[in-house]
Amino acid sequence: MYRERIRLNSLHDKVMSAEEAAALIQDGMTVGMSGFTRAGEAKAVPQALAERAKKSPLKITLMTGASLGNDLDKQLTEAGVLARRMPFQVDSTLRKAINAGEVMFIDQHLSETVEQLRNNQLKLPDIAVIEAVAITEQGHIVPTTSVGNSASFAIFAKQVIVEINLAHNPNLEGLHDIYIPTYRPTRTPIPLVKVDDRIGSTAIPIPAEKIVAIVITNKPDSPSTVSEPDSETDGIAFHLINFLKAEVEAGRMTNKLGPLQAGIGNIANAVMCGLIDSPFEDLTMYSEVLQDSTFDLIDAGKMSFASGSSITLSERRNSDVFGNLERYKDKLVLRPQEISNHPEVVRRLGIIGINTALEFDIYGNVNSTHVCGTRMMNGIGGSGDFARNAHLAIFVTKSIAKAGAISSVVPMVSHVDHTEHDVDILVTEQGLADLRGLAPRERARVIIDNCVHPDFREALNDYFAKACAIGGHTPHILREALSWHINLEETGKMLP
Amino acid sequence: MYRERIRLNSLHDKVMSAEEAAALIQDGMTVGMSGFTRAGEAKAVPQALAERAKKSPLKITLMTGASLGNDLDKQLTEAGVLARRMPFQVDSTLRKAINAGEVMFIDQHLSETVEQLRNNQLKLPDIAVIEAVAITEQGHIVPTTSVGNSASFAIFAKQVIVEINLAHNPNLEGLHDIYIPTYRPTRTPIPLVKVDDRIGSTAIPIPAEKIVAIVITNKPDSPSTVSEPDSETDGIAFHLINFLKAEVEAGRMTNKLGPLQAGIGNIANAVMCGLIDSPFEDLTMYSEVLQDSTFDLIDAGKMSFASGSSITLSERRNSDVFGNLERYKDKLVLRPQEISNHPEVVRRLGIIGINTALEFDIYGNVNSTHVCGTRMMNGIGGSGDFARNAHLAIFVTKSIAKAGAISSVVPMVSHVDHTEHDVDILVTEQGLADLRGLAPRERARVIIDNCVHPDFREALNDYFAKACAIGGHTPHILREALSWHINLEETGKMLP
């Protein structure tokens, strides 16, 4: 059965076991693997590599698109394989190793990794491991449920291992649009001017002789871990949709809105779900990951097209979407993450970017990554690619965490991923702060009045008033600015 | 003499005094004025406005390109005219008013102001005041030594006041290239693929009937305040040029380098001067402001073309350049700051961005704006436009300030303008830190070893070692992270 998926006959003798393919990966190598938001990662070779490392230790630098599924980052960490990891992860075992300083994690804007590779600013991958539904007559690779950085990894690597995964619907072929920017100094504009433009090829074009191994697998992607909306996420969706309605009424956008980008996770997914019952029509997405809500919106006739770099679905939605792919295929495209997140395209299209904050401060600075300024959660992902260049840079979070021990709105964030210059709108279940055109003191007023949980409002008002009495464009009391985080570390809660 | 500068005869009867023109500006208005890095600002009308406000108070929102010369921000501040000011300033009197909370200052990426206006996210200017060398037969405005935001201000405003400044060489006409991005959702790529491409018109195209007043002036731009290189700025230039040589040797760029961007100020200017004696050839600039060093490089045969949004020269260089403009004219272009700083173009061209940091921390976060996290210095300017999208995002600063009371390298910056995700290279006179592809703990090692002044190295090593003992991806001791700034505020120096 797999032979018809390898349409270049000369490659049939490259089929081997995962163990044999993994043996091509040697200690000290840089390896580029497919996989983006738990979708389309190579599955058998990294597992075989982890098994082998238990007996015969080795270390590699692992680059992916974004996060891997099937506990691969866990297995690779436990086997001690990861010396360096970039540009994103979400695994709790790997997270512990990163925070212990055992794995060097390079937390990058997702559009930038392959740009840095192209410019030889990062070490090029020695070998790429790419999941595919097929190899074409030309030896080109047809990706599965994500594109991520796979195309550039395959182009840059000296050797390519392909995993043909029979669990994926072969009808995925045709969904992808592989466009690679030309080299500087003769680079030309990315010719994408509409969300549904196709500007590249449907397979990754590499010389067939670079494919040194083909492994046959039959294992599904991990389902997404998104949970159902709750009253807080519904509240956030309510405030945000009311704001978007007001933007339409003010003539700042049409009822079609701009192309939507939503970060992965419960809150962004809940906001997108909220659009099903909204008055908006003919919506589009230009995002990284397409989640359940994308397909709910398409089914509801609310969304006409969605562009992403991966499709990550819940168990419930998975067989329904991939089993009926023809129903969606003309409304979808999957692009390299360099293109799905490209500053040039994000600015041109006028994207509404909705991303999750870990915390934000009264002046509008956002922390997306570091608990108490020190411990990495996941990584910045694409949020910076979108926020800096979006038409609207929106950050959402619940106003409190840990049963009220933590306020998500603080005097000063303990780490900055998105500066005051880049953040337009902040939303919690308490309300929405529109920061556009406001000076820092005005932002503080709007944020405290609208976004803060009542249990923390008085304390923030006190801080702000005392800071203003001292003065400054952005009033702070340095002795108290991080005191909420210090309290949290020392007592388990931000306020006594 | 001025009549030949107003080539549309029907506009001749719009000539009036500055006082009469200033009377068109009313209390509560939003006013967009020309001016970028002390070049090409409207001179007579704002001064008349300040005079009038002393007798008859009024408040306006003032938007410009960037900083104004001729003490105009000082005069307007002292007269109480400024309720709101954006997107940049460098005046010490205005700075005091901003830090006292008397003027609301909106500190923006310089490429974004007119984008937000175009999308109605900021209030459109009621009136624009634009300095010009001429008005064409069509009633179009030919700017002087800067373009800045002038074109979009004139397009968006209901009324336009033009100041024809006879002090400027009329031969400036032809130097400008006015390109305005089309509206979304049908925006097309910016068709600029080489530094010297001309993609627009040489004058600002507005309907002639919008010109409601013309004021004739004869007053030069303020000279730049750049001082001569000193041993520290020479040291910074030395390290940076050695780094660029190594990049060429490593094959990451040619001997022509990439297009250079240099922020305004002594250090960036000194670095550019250092290139005169470098082995690089056929250099180009794609920058905001063209300073003395640009013309020194052209004269030395080292630079073949320079694109900017303004020309700001010292007294020494001013008459020489503008008196011999024909010598430079085919090597220069002035663009709207939206285009000189546009993320799309910056990423496409692969710019080497060199900007000045106020301070940076051991993990590579940069503060460009706030003294001790609270008091605004000038503003972020274009540094973010370039750093996020540059091929190389380089920040430079002297390692110490105030005779050694202050270290420019600190445990944690007190304000973040450029995050760890965006900073590639840090340089002080002590040395250079190449952060590309490094995890935070690795960055700390490289920064402390290379950039820190010896007087502060041991203290930073202690902090880093203690923080690493606690752990975390980005190890910090929150109780001590801002202690250097607290010491500075309380004792006048960062370390006891």
Side-chain angles (χ1 to χ4, degrees):
Chain A
M1 154 151 195
Y2 72 78
R3 294 180 73 88
E4 65 202 38
R5 302 260 197 141
I6 305 169
R7 303 204 296 263
L8 180 62
N9 289 333
S10 62
L11 287 174
H12 284 174
D13 64 0
K14 301 288 186 189
V15 175
M16 62 182 77
S17 71
E19 291 68 29
E20 288 170 310
L24 295 165
I25 298 173
Q26 290 156 28
D27 188 46
M29 274 189 169
T30 295
V31 183
M33 291 193 188
S34 65
F36 191 99
T37 59
R38 302 160 65 87
E41 79 278 354
K43 294 169 177 70
V45 172
Q47 192 168 18
L49 186 70
E51 288 303 319
R52 170 180 145 211
K54 287 180 196 166
K55 295 162 221 151
S56 166
L58 86 165
K59 294 266 184 208
I60 65 167
T61 294
L62 176 59
M63 301 174 174
T64 58
S67 56
L68 303 180
N70 285 297
D71 283 338
L72 287 170
D73 266 324
K74 177 175 189 285
Q75 292 177 51
L76 290 165
T77 303
E78 287 175 348
V81 173
L82 302 179
R84 308 176 72 73
R85 180 77 176 88
M86 66 181 79
F88 188 75
Q89 63 80 38
V90 298
D91 182 80
S92 62
T93 302
L94 175 52
R95 184 182 300 141
K96 280 197 198 95
I98 289 167
N99 286 318
E102 293 158 10
V103 176
M104 292 295 104
F105 176 53
I106 297 92
D107 177 22
Q108 298 189 303
H109 298 301
L110 296 186
S111 82
E112 293 195 350
T113 308
V114 299
E115 183 77 274
Q116 293 197 342
L117 288 171
R118 187 175 297 120
N119 300 323
N120 283 302
Q121 294 181 311
L122 296 174
K123 189 172 169 299
L124 292 182
D126 297 290
I127 197 160
V129 190
I130 311 295
E131 189 182 75
V133 288
I135 296 173
T136 69
E137 293 77 1
Q138 295 78 31
H140 298 179
I141 301 166
V142 182
T144 62
T145 47
S146 69
V147 179
N149 286 325
S150 298
S152 287
F153 287 163
I155 290 167
F156 295 138
K158 290 182 277 292
Q159 298 185 309
V160 178
I161 300 171
V162 177
E163 286 193 8
I164 301 276
N165 187 343
L166 304 176
H168 287 300
N169 185 342
N171 195 20
L172 283 168
E173 186 167 353
L175 199 63
H176 312 92
D177 186 59
I178 312 294
Y179 176 88
I180 307 290
T182 52
Y183 276 85
R184 297 166 180 149
T186 54
R187 185 173 296 175
T188 49
I190 298 170
L192 192 160
V193 296
K194 297 195 312 296
V195 166
D196 59 353
D197 277 347
R198 288 188 158 273
I199 60 175
S201 57
T202 58
I204 299 168
I206 56 164
E209 55 273 22
K210 281 192 11 177
I211 297 178
V212 292
I214 299 172
V215 177
I216 310 300
T217 69
N218 194 335
K219 192 173 190 176
D221 287 343
S222 299
S224 80
T225 54
V226 168
S227 56
E228 292 296 307
D230 58 33
S231 65
E232 276 85 26
T233 60
D234 284 347
I236 292 168
F238 173 79
H239 297 306
L240 186 46
I241 289 167
N242 277 349
F243 163 77
L244 294 172
K245 285 182 197 169
E247 288 292 289
V248 173
E249 273 164 37
R252 283 194 278 268
M253 47 176 76
T254 69
N255 203 41
K256 183 180 159 70
L257 306 181
L260 299 161
Q261 176 263 332
I264 201 159
N266 299 334
I267 304 179
N269 199 55
V271 169
M272 297 300 288
C273 285
L275 292 171
I276 293 173
D277 299 317
S278 75
F280 310 121
E281 302 283 351
D282 195 18
L283 297 169
T284 60
M285 285 191 86
Y286 194 85
S287 195
E288 303 171 321
V289 51
L290 308 181
Q291 302 179 73
D292 285 14
S293 49
T294 303
F295 297 89
D296 294 345
L297 282 162
I298 292 175
D299 288 352
K302 282 285 182 186
M303 181 165 283
S304 55
F305 200 88
S307 167
S309 191
S310 74
I311 301 174
T312 304
L313 299 173
S314 68
E315 207 122 35
R316 174 180 74 82
R317 265 309 213 163
N318 194 68
S319 59
D320 176 47
V321 167
F322 291 117
N324 298 283
L325 202 53
E326 63 290 348
R327 198 165 74 204
Y328 300 103
K329 208 164 168 186
D330 64 343
K331 299 183 176 65
L332 297 177
V333 64
L334 295 184
R335 309 182 191 277
Q337 69 198 69
E338 185 181 19
I339 304 301
S340 65
N341 291 30
H342 203 289
E344 172 175 337
V345 179
V346 172
R347 178 93 166 225
R348 182 180 302 146
L349 296 179
I351 283 173
I352 300 174
I354 305 166
N355 292 286
T356 304
L358 196 60
E359 62 178 6
F360 55 83
D361 68 28
I362 57 173
Y363 298 114
N365 299 287
V366 170
N367 175 7
S368 302
T369 56
H370 283 70
V371 176
C372 283
T374 59
R375 293 184 298 284
M376 172 56 58
M377 181 67 90
N378 299 325
I380 191 168
S383 58
D385 290 321
F386 290 100
R388 173 68 62 89
N389 297 294
H391 168 65
L392 284 170
I394 300 168
F395 287 89
V396 295
T397 186
K398 297 182 181 186
S399 71
I400 53 173
K402 296 244 161 118
I406 295 174
S407 171
S408 304
V409 193
V410 293
M412 176 187 268
V413 287
S414 55
H415 183 89
V416 178
D417 293 294
H418 308 285
T419 76
E420 49 155 347
H421 312 283
D422 293 328
V423 177
D424 296 317
I425 308 289
L426 293 169
V427 199
T428 70
E429 82 288 349
Q430 299 292 322
L432 181 144
D434 182 351
L435 309 181
R436 293 175 293 177
L438 299 187
R441 289 170 189 238
E442 297 170 314
R443 285 185 227 141
R445 196 65 271 140
V446 172
I447 290 171
I448 297 173
D449 289 346
N450 290 285
C451 297
V452 175
H453 191 277
D455 292 353
F456 293 90
R457 198 169 292 158
E458 192 185 331
L460 279 177
N461 269 325
D462 285 351
Y463 178 85
F464 180 53
K466 279 168 62 186
C468 284
I470 298 173
H473 175 62
T474 303
H476 268 303
I477 307 160
L478 291 188
R479 277 199 179 276
E480 297 180 24
L482 296 175
S483 62
W484 293 30
H485 300 89
I486 295 169
N487 289 343
L488 178 64
E489 293 206 312
E490 295 181 356
T491 71
K493 49 187 191 170
M494 282 189 165
L495 290 184
Chain B
M1 156 155 191
Y2 71 79
R3 294 179 73 89
E4 66 201 36
R5 301 260 196 141
I6 305 170
R7 304 205 295 264
L8 180 61
N9 288 335
S10 63
L11 287 175
H12 284 175
D13 63 0
K14 301 290 185 189
V15 175
M16 61 182 78
S17 71
E19 293 68 29
E20 289 170 308
L24 295 165
I25 299 173
Q26 290 157 28
D27 188 46
M29 275 188 169
T30 295
V31 182
M33 291 192 189
S34 65
F36 191 99
T37 57
R38 303 161 66 89
E41 78 279 352
K43 294 170 177 70
V45 173
Q47 192 169 17
L49 187 70
E51 288 303 320
R52 171 181 145 210
K54 287 180 196 165
K55 294 161 220 151
S56 165
L58 85 166
K59 294 266 184 205
I60 65 166
T61 295
L62 176 60
M63 302 174 172
T64 58
S67 54
L68 303 180
N70 284 298
D71 283 337
L72 287 170
D73 266 324
K74 177 175 189 284
Q75 291 177 51
L76 290 165
T77 303
E78 287 175 347
V81 173
L82 302 179
R84 308 176 73 72
R85 180 77 175 88
M86 67 182 78
F88 188 75
Q89 63 80 38
V90 298
D91 181 80
S92 62
T93 303
L94 174 54
R95 183 181 301 142
K96 280 197 197 94
I98 289 167
N99 286 319
E102 293 158 9
V103 176
M104 292 295 105
F105 176 54
I106 297 93
D107 177 23
Q108 298 189 302
H109 298 301
L110 295 186
S111 82
E112 293 195 349
T113 308
V114 300
E115 183 77 273
Q116 294 197 342
L117 288 170
R118 186 175 297 120
N119 300 322
N120 282 302
Q121 295 181 310
L122 296 173
K123 189 170 169 301
L124 293 182
D126 298 289
I127 197 160
V129 190
I130 310 294
E131 190 183 74
V133 286
I135 297 174
T136 70
E137 292 77 1
Q138 295 79 31
H140 298 178
I141 301 166
V142 182
T144 62
T145 46
S146 69
V147 179
N149 286 325
S150 298
S152 286
F153 287 163
I155 290 168
F156 295 138
K158 291 181 277 293
Q159 298 185 308
V160 178
I161 300 171
V162 177
E163 286 192 8
I164 302 277
N165 187 344
L166 303 176
H168 287 300
N169 185 342
N171 195 21
L172 283 168
E173 186 168 353
L175 199 63
H176 313 91
D177 186 58
I178 312 293
Y179 175 88
I180 307 288
T182 53
Y183 276 84
R184 297 167 179 149
T186 53
R187 185 175 296 175
T188 49
I190 298 170
L192 192 160
V193 297
K194 297 196 311 297
V195 165
D196 58 353
D197 278 347
R198 288 188 159 271
I199 59 175
S201 57
T202 57
I204 300 169
I206 55 164
E209 55 272 22
K210 282 194 9 180
I211 298 177
V212 293
I214 299 172
V215 176
I216 310 301
T217 69
N218 195 334
K219 192 173 190 178
D221 287 342
S222 299
S224 80
T225 54
V226 168
S227 56
E228 291 297 306
D230 57 34
S231 66
E232 277 85 25
T233 60
D234 284 347
I236 292 169
F238 173 80
H239 297 305
L240 186 46
I241 288 167
N242 276 348
F243 164 78
L244 293 172
K245 286 182 196 167
E247 288 292 288
V248 173
E249 274 165 35
R252 283 195 279 269
M253 47 177 74
T254 69
N255 203 39
K256 182 181 160 71
L257 306 182
L260 298 161
Q261 175 263 332
I264 200 159
N266 299 334
I267 304 179
N269 198 56
V271 170
M272 297 301 289
C273 285
L275 292 170
I276 292 173
D277 299 317
S278 75
F280 310 121
E281 301 284 352
D282 196 17
L283 297 170
T284 60
M285 285 192 87
Y286 194 84
S287 195
E288 303 170 321
V289 52
L290 308 182
Q291 302 179 74
D292 284 14
S293 49
T294 303
F295 297 90
D296 293 344
L297 283 162
I298 292 174
D299 287 351
K302 282 285 182 185
M303 180 165 285
S304 54
F305 200 88
S307 167
S309 192
S310 74
I311 300 175
T312 304
L313 299 173
S314 68
E315 207 123 32
R316 173 180 74 82
R317 264 309 213 163
N318 193 69
S319 58
D320 176 47
V321 167
F322 290 117
N324 298 282
L325 202 53
E326 64 290 349
R327 197 164 75 203
Y328 299 105
K329 209 165 167 187
D330 64 343
K331 299 183 176 66
L332 297 178
V333 64
L334 295 184
R335 308 181 190 278
Q337 67 197 71
E338 185 181 18
I339 303 302
S340 66
N341 290 30
H342 202 288
E344 171 176 336
V345 179
V346 172
R347 179 93 165 226
R348 183 181 302 145
L349 296 180
I351 283 172
I352 300 175
I354 305 166
N355 291 286
T356 304
L358 197 59
E359 62 178 4
F360 54 83
D361 68 27
I362 57 173
Y363 298 114
N365 300 286
V366 170
N367 175 8
S368 302
T369 55
H370 282 71
V371 176
C372 283
T374 59
R375 292 184 299 284
M376 172 56 59
M377 182 66 91
N378 298 325
I380 190 168
S383 58
D385 289 321
F386 290 100
R388 173 68 63 88
N389 296 295
H391 169 65
L392 284 171
I394 301 168
F395 286 89
V396 294
T397 185
K398 298 183 181 186
S399 70
I400 53 172
K402 296 242 161 120
I406 295 174
S407 171
S408 304
V409 193
V410 294
M412 176 187 267
V413 287
S414 56
H415 183 89
V416 178
D417 293 293
H418 308 285
T419 77
E420 49 154 348
H421 312 283
D422 292 329
V423 178
D424 296 318
I425 307 290
L426 293 169
V427 199
T428 70
E429 82 289 349
Q430 299 291 321
L432 180 145
D434 182 351
L435 310 181
R436 293 174 294 177
L438 299 187
R441 290 171 189 236
E442 297 170 316
R443 284 183 229 142
R445 195 66 271 138
V446 173
I447 290 171
I448 297 173
D449 289 347
N450 290 286
C451 297
V452 176
H453 191 277
D455 291 352
F456 293 91
R457 198 170 290 158
E458 191 184 333
L460 278 177
N461 269 325
D462 285 351
Y463 178 86
F464 180 54
K466 279 168 63 185
C468 284
I470 299 173
H473 174 61
T474 303
H476 269 302
I477 307 159
L478 291 188
R479 278 199 178 275
E480 298 180 23
L482 296 176
S483 63
W484 293 28
H485 301 89
I486 295 169
N487 288 343
L488 179 64
E489 293 205 313
E490 296 181 355
T491 70
K493 50 187 191 171
M494 282 190 164
L495 291 184

